[in-house]
Amino acid sequence: MIILKDISKNFKIPLKKEGLIGAIQGLFTRKYTLKEAVKSISFCIQQGEMVGLIGPNGAGKSTLIKILSGILVPDSGEVEILGFIPYRDRKRYTQNIGVVFGQRSQLWWDLPVYESYTLLKKIYHIDTATFNNRLEEFSELLEIKKLLRQPVRTLSLGEKMRCELIASLLHNPQVLFLDEPTIALDIIAKLKIRNFITEWNKKNNCTVILTTHDLSDIQDICKRIIIINEGNIVFDGEMDTIIKRFSNFRRLVVSFSQDNISPERIFQSFSRDEKVSLRELEIAKGNNNSYLIRFSDTNNSIISLIDNILNNFSVYDIKIQEPSIEMIIKLIYEKKVNLSS
Amino acid sequence: MTVFHYPGLYLCFISQHLKKIFEYRLSFFIGIIPFILLQLSAIVVIWVIFKKVPHIAGFSFDEVLFVYGLGIVCYAFGRMVFSNLNNFGYRYIIKGELDAILTKPINPLFHILATDFSEKEIGELFVGIILIIKSIIGLKIHFGILELLALLYFLLNGIIIYGSINLIAVIICFWTKDIQGLTSPIMRIQEFSQYPVTIYGKAIRFVITWIIPFAFISFFPAVFFIRKEEFIGYIICIPLIGIIFPLIAYLLWLKGLSRYESSGT
């Protein structure tokens, strides 16, 4: 159970002047700008929920997850997780959570993976039988058995991330925080990690909170998402709502291999029915011989649309663009999409 | 996790570090040589000076060697145990590795200290011990079990004071967010305290006694064995400094920790 009430966090950022003289001046007088990283955020998460925290760079996701995991002390507001106040009851609290930072390792760089795990075993007081069982199970599931004797520094990014994940789960935490766990990973590595997290959540009813700016991570794993922008919660609700609302904002990018294409010609190729069902249609010329087609996709007319284009023109390439998080946030702000219903 | 688990945990960390050393044996031996040479050259300088004059500020050659030897042992031990503090600013504050430390259910300061251990000072340690033995024989100091216990206590006390000073010097990084904090200027001053403090002027003496209490690490403990009466007031203060200074350092550490801002990812 996670309860957050009016949590705020500001950072003082020193304004550094340029050059050596500026640096010397900075020794005596420093000016600061105040950055409000998180502004009065409240939410509640039940045990066993899987929640995605998304938002553009600098939205406050990482700050929030650092407050939740007890690293940062919030400036104001209340936070209570599993009955603990994270930054105050740090020792007892951290015994019950697992944290993975995609961009930071908690394994010992020079040591073989297995040695790192034995240190964690000591740190978390895991008894030997439990430790061996869990390690056996996890390394089987995540296919890292062969890597256990290798020094961490020799692992690839994807291998390392799987090892990190195990490191954060050996003590069977009740809450798992994942800060961009799939950053810079290829699709296969991403899938392995996603599947593992989903399975593990089902089995242990552990709460998972995940930040990312890859929407597909969240689609696969989370039922609920919280969208954050500029330190505020923009949306907090079911993933399905978002998917439904924003599938309208898919765009089709078509590169034609024939000349003499114009938006009018594309439009004319549509059947009468399509012209009726395709509302808010926009066709714009892109680079080279490609065209951007945007429309409000009410009854999955995208398929018939593609069909139509392929029948009438000679096409070199066709792409469906999903809306990016930046675009979703923009649309929510401009109130083009109503999420309240 | 109670206090009693920490020694065992520390050994675990250290044994991991030792495995690394055994893997790179050659680098270990090459690493300790410069430190031994450095100390030997300093001893040669002291020896050359005493060729010309019989006493410095009333201290004989063997007395200076005793003071110097105890200093080497304390500082070498201190640097071995507290070596990871050298990386503190860069590794933990600027790169934000403190994040991972703070998500573990053990004392963060302990975790940082246990993470690294310097073995390069082991040669210096031997030089120091040999100097102490040589000067004890030369000075004909009575050295029984009680003296040995006192020496071990002073050693532990000295290491703790050294660590506290080093910690205070790097905690500044929480506020300044730079790499070094005040480590290098403060740790330079340490060199003064390896010689009898009475050879310096009042100002320097005051600083290394009461502001940055390096003199309490090895000099005052050393005179306990050779000139108790002359420095009795200071000698009484040794245990006090050994309690007060670490306490100040730890409170500052907690204060700094609450100001920790991590680094953006």
Side-chain angles (χ1 to χ4, degrees):
Chain A
M1 182 76 167
I2 297 174
I3 305 163
L4 239 76
K5 224 172 131 193
D6 297 324
I7 285 291
S8 300
K9 178 80 189 170
N10 300 326
F11 291 115
K12 256 167 131 188
I13 298 165
L15 291 172
K16 287 201 173 138
K17 289 182 187 155
E18 279 167 36
L20 182 64
I21 294 170
I24 293 166
Q25 280 179 339
L27 283 177
F28 302 103
T29 53
R30 270 209 181 162
K31 283 184 180 154
Y32 294 93
T33 49
L34 206 63
K35 192 189 166 215
E36 296 175 89
V38 171
K39 301 173 198 163
S40 189
I41 279 185
S42 309
F43 56 72
C44 200
I45 294 171
Q46 302 297 328
Q47 186 65 33
E49 266 193 277
M50 292 181 97
V51 181
L53 268 178
I54 61 169
N57 284 329
K61 300 180 302 248
S62 285
T63 307
L64 195 59
I65 216 157
K66 280 171 191 164
I67 291 172
L68 292 172
S69 52
I71 294 168
L72 293 177
V73 183
D75 291 339
S76 63
E78 288 163 37
V79 51
E80 196 194 306
I81 303 175
L82 304 168
F84 297 107
I85 296 171
Y87 56 92
R88 198 181 300 155
D89 312 323
R90 188 178 288 135
K91 263 184 233 171
R92 280 179 301 151
Y93 172 65
T94 49
Q95 182 73 38
N96 297 295
I97 63 163
V99 187
V100 176
F101 295 112
Q103 309 196 2
R104 215 164 272 158
S105 181
Q106 56 172 338
L107 301 170
W108 283 262
W109 194 246
D110 293 313
L111 298 181
V113 181
Y114 183 77
E115 301 287 351
S116 280
Y117 291 162
T118 55
L119 271 175
L120 289 170
K121 172 180 180 287
K122 280 269 174 193
I123 288 175
Y124 288 105
H125 274 278
I126 311 167
D127 66 78
T128 310
T130 321
F131 173 79
N132 290 339
N133 287 341
R134 279 187 198 142
L135 188 56
E136 178 73 24
E137 186 197 339
F138 292 153
S139 49
E140 189 77 44
L141 283 173
L142 281 169
E143 300 163 33
I144 60 138
K145 270 208 163 137
K146 274 182 280 175
L147 311 175
L148 285 174
R149 301 284 162 191
Q150 278 186 38
V152 175
R153 65 185 137 83
T154 63
L155 303 180
S156 77
L157 213 54
E159 290 168 342
K160 211 177 93 200
M161 194 42 73
R162 280 180 279 155
C163 295
E164 295 272 353
L165 199 56
I166 292 179
S168 67
L169 293 176
L170 284 170
H171 57 291
N172 196 25
Q174 295 175 55
V175 184
L176 178 64
F177 296 101
L178 303 166
D179 193 8
E180 306 194 358
T182 59
I183 199 162
L185 298 188
D186 64 59
I187 187 74
I188 296 169
K190 275 187 188 185
L191 285 176
K192 271 182 194 157
I193 285 179
R194 287 179 198 163
N195 289 339
F196 177 79
I197 294 170
T198 321
E199 282 301 309
W200 194 76
N201 162 270
K202 263 190 214 146
K203 213 173 138 194
N204 294 282
N205 193 37
C206 153
T207 313
V208 178
I209 295 177
L210 171 118
T211 75
T212 178
H213 37 238
D214 181 355
L215 254 185
S216 62
D217 270 350
I218 295 202
Q219 270 174 7
D220 282 5
I221 299 179
C222 305
K223 268 212 180 95
R224 174 176 168 193
I225 69 167
I226 296 175
I227 303 178
I228 295 178
N229 192 36
E230 291 175 358
N232 292 305
I233 292 184
V234 186
F235 172 80
D236 178 355
E238 296 264 307
M239 188 68 212
D240 284 348
T241 322
I242 292 284
I243 294 171
K244 273 192 199 121
R245 300 282 161 180
F246 289 96
S247 60
N248 294 0
F249 289 86
R250 284 183 185 161
R251 289 189 303 186
L252 209 58
V253 183
V254 189
S255 308
F256 295 95
S257 53
Q258 69 182 87
D259 291 335
N260 64 24
I261 304 285
S262 67
E264 292 77 27
R265 271 196 67 184
I266 298 172
F267 184 69
Q268 263 139 36
S269 73
F270 298 150
S271 69
R272 181 171 229 167
D273 288 349
E274 276 171 342
K275 280 178 195 160
V276 175
S277 76
L278 290 173
R279 276 168 301 143
E280 299 177 37
L281 183 72
E282 272 176 33
I283 303 175
K285 191 169 180 348
N287 297 333
N288 300 329
N289 215 9
S290 69
Y291 285 82
L292 225 72
I293 305 171
R294 219 206 79 190
F295 51 94
S296 200
D297 189 0
T298 39
N299 32 13
N300 217 17
S301 38
I302 195 158
I303 302 297
S304 72
L305 192 73
I306 293 171
D307 207 29
N308 197 338
I309 289 171
L310 290 175
N311 284 334
N312 287 296
F313 304 98
S314 81
V315 171
Y316 169 67
D317 187 21
I318 207 161
K319 265 189 295 218
I320 301 172
Q321 278 186 347
E322 300 286 342
S324 64
I325 290 175
E326 283 76 9
M327 189 182 154
I328 290 178
I329 287 167
K330 194 167 154 254
L331 289 168
I332 293 172
Y333 265 117
E334 290 169 357
K335 303 223 161 54
K336 281 195 178 158
V337 177
N338 185 11
L339 289 165
S340 52
S341 60
Chain B
M1 180 66 90
T2 61
V3 188
F4 304 107
H5 292 114
Y6 282 107
L9 195 56
Y10 191 74
L11 287 179
C12 268
F13 273 96
I14 297 299
S15 69
Q16 296 298 355
H17 190 79
L18 291 179
K19 282 179 199 164
K20 230 168 26 186
I21 296 172
F22 295 141
E23 218 169 300
Y24 306 105
R25 262 168 304 183
L26 187 64
S27 125
F28 166 67
F29 286 114
I30 293 173
I32 58 176
I33 291 169
F35 287 91
I36 296 179
L37 292 179
L38 202 71
Q39 293 305 343
L40 289 180
S41 65
I43 293 163
V44 168
V45 170
I46 297 173
W47 180 72
V48 167
I49 293 171
F50 276 95
K51 281 265 143 191
K52 299 278 171 203
V53 289
H55 296 277
I56 296 177
F59 280 76
S60 70
F61 179 54
D62 275 334
E63 283 177 318
V64 171
L65 281 194
F66 185 67
V67 169
Y68 194 80
L70 191 59
I72 294 181
V73 173
C74 285
Y75 291 118
F77 249 127
R79 281 205 298 274
M80 288 170 96
V81 176
F82 293 96
S83 75
N84 205 21
L85 288 182
N86 295 335
N87 308 320
F88 183 76
Y90 179 66
R91 192 168 163 186
Y92 294 100
I93 301 290
I94 296 186
K95 276 175 72 192
E97 276 189 38
L98 196 55
D99 287 5
I101 300 274
L102 291 176
T103 57
K104 296 284 178 307
I106 52 174
N107 183 297
L109 184 57
F110 167 82
H111 196 165
I112 290 172
L113 295 180
T115 299
D116 204 3
F117 172 84
S118 171
E119 70 287 347
K120 295 189 183 67
E121 285 79 7
I122 209 124
E124 278 182 278
L125 214 55
F126 278 116
V127 174
I129 290 169
I130 290 167
L131 284 187
I132 291 175
I133 294 171
K134 189 228 171 270
S135 49
I136 284 176
I137 295 166
L139 292 166
K140 300 192 178 70
I141 300 172
H142 171 72
F143 209 83
I145 291 289
L146 276 178
E147 281 77 9
L148 184 67
L149 286 178
L151 190 68
L152 290 178
Y153 164 73
F154 286 138
L155 196 60
L156 184 70
N157 198 59
I159 293 168
I160 291 172
I161 297 174
Y162 173 85
S164 311
I165 297 172
N166 201 343
L167 186 60
I168 291 172
V170 297
I171 289 172
I172 314 274
C173 297
F174 277 119
W175 283 270
T176 59
K177 297 197 179 67
D178 67 357
I179 297 171
Q180 281 263 301
L182 292 173
T183 1
S184 76
I186 288 183
M187 290 308 167
R188 276 285 152 77
I189 296 173
Q190 169 236 303
E191 285 168 22
F192 285 101
S193 70
Q194 279 178 288
Y195 303 93
V197 293
T198 40
I199 63 176
Y200 303 112
K202 270 200 179 127
I204 291 179
R205 238 157 92 182
F206 182 76
V207 169
I208 61 178
T209 306
W210 300 117
I211 309 287
I212 312 166
F214 280 118
F216 285 99
I217 295 176
S218 64
F219 176 68
F220 293 129
V223 292
F224 170 80
F225 295 97
I226 47 182
R227 288 161 180 231
K228 224 176 277 173
E229 301 75 27
E230 203 178 314
F231 294 96
I232 189 72
Y234 293 103
I235 290 168
I236 290 167
C237 289
I238 297 172
L240 288 178
I241 298 284
I243 292 167
I244 293 168
F245 231 71
L247 211 63
I248 294 172
Y250 197 70
L251 290 175
L252 273 173
W253 160 259
L254 292 180
K255 184 99 186 123
L257 212 53
S258 71
R259 278 190 52 105
Y260 176 58
E261 293 191 339
S262 184
S263 69
T265 44

